[in-house]
Amino acid sequence: MNNNESFGESVKDAVKFMQKIYRDIDAMMITVEDLMVRKKFKPTEANRISGDLGNSFDCDKWLLKSFYRIYCPETNANSALKVGAIHILLAPPEFYNEPVCLCMTAKFKTPVEFPNIWNGWRPGGSEKILEKLVDKDGSIDFNTGEMNDIFPLAVTGSAFVVPLCSIDSEDSVKAKIVNPLLSLVEKYN
């Protein structure tokens, strides 16, 4: 076997490994979705999980490195006054040594239509929120100025971070992500 064959096998193995990671994340997100629906929360977008992929000659846009979903109480028709969001980062900033799930809430001054929530979301702002959460247990609250980096329409919000590798079952999704997230969303009543 020459170096080209060895490299080719490595590329093939790497792609298969990423597919396995994506399947694991898919299973986790299906669990999150199911638990949120049982708790009477719905996604603000039916199928979207990211806005990061592209079809251009920009190789940084060819690999999906983060996934996100935004949820609101089922009672809302097409707008929301408060939301809970989950942002999975496979390659978080350097101050984290493993993939993370950033869980956030946001409260708006007036109801915001779903497309404006999704389009107003700034996933790049997650890095600033994550930096404030380094070595913190539990959640922290954010004011309007701090929320501007991620949810510009929000007047307040909260966030906490969960190491993605600590999520290994429906029970851990429920205990570490869904229940704490909904508890934070409900404080806006």
Side-chain angles (χ1 to χ4, degrees):
M1 185 182 315
N2 66 36
N3 279 346
N4 286 341
E5 288 176 7
S6 177
F7 178 73
E9 286 179 17
S10 295
V11 170
K12 184 174 141 185
D13 290 344
V15 169
K16 285 183 176 183
F17 185 69
M18 281 307 299
Q19 287 173 324
K20 181 183 178 333
I21 291 170
Y22 287 163
R23 279 192 295 276
D24 289 347
I25 291 170
D26 181 56
M28 185 192 96
M29 291 305 295
I30 288 169
T31 301
V32 167
E33 199 91 354
D34 181 54
L35 291 168
M36 295 296 278
V37 167
R38 283 192 236 161
K39 298 281 188 171
K40 306 287 187 225
F41 274 71
K42 65 180 181 181
T44 60
E45 293 282 332
N47 297 309
R48 291 171 82 179
I49 58 154
S50 187
D52 296 343
L53 286 179
N55 286 327
S56 65
F57 284 109
D58 179 357
C59 64
D60 289 333
K61 297 281 187 179
W62 297 350
L63 181 64
L64 192 55
K65 296 174 277 210
S66 82
F67 309 81
Y68 46 96
R69 294 290 277 164
I70 305 169
Y71 300 92
C72 71
E74 258 183 16
T75 55
N76 302 31
N78 293 312
S79 65
L81 189 58
K82 58 186 179 178
V83 296
I86 295 168
H87 188 185
I88 296 171
L89 294 96
L90 296 180
E94 61 199 36
F95 35 85
Y96 287 91
N97 61 3
E98 66 178 296
V100 296
C101 180
L102 176 61
C103 301
M104 294 167 288
T105 63
K107 181 178 186 301
F108 307 109
K109 189 173 187 174
T110 60
V112 178
E113 292 183 0
F114 291 168
N116 294 332
I117 293 172
W118 181 270
N119 293 332
W121 162 271
R122 296 179 182 166
S126 291
E127 289 191 14
K128 290 182 180 180
I129 302 289
L130 283 168
E131 188 171 5
K132 293 178 187 219
L133 287 165
V134 171
D135 299 325
K136 300 270 194 260
D137 288 327
S139 66
I140 57 175
D141 295 329
F142 296 96
N143 62 36
T144 303
E146 294 167 315
M147 289 300 293
N148 195 47
D149 291 326
I150 198 154
F151 270 126
L153 301 172
V155 292
T156 189
S158 299
F160 62 94
V161 67
V162 178
L164 196 58
C165 296
S166 73
I167 305 299
D168 59 4
S169 67
E170 180 175 326
D171 288 341
S172 62
V173 169
K174 189 181 215 177
K176 295 179 180 183
I177 296 174
V178 173
N179 288 347
L181 181 64
L182 292 180
S183 174
L184 290 175
V185 173
E186 292 305 320
K187 79 178 185 180
Y188 299 130
N189 284 339

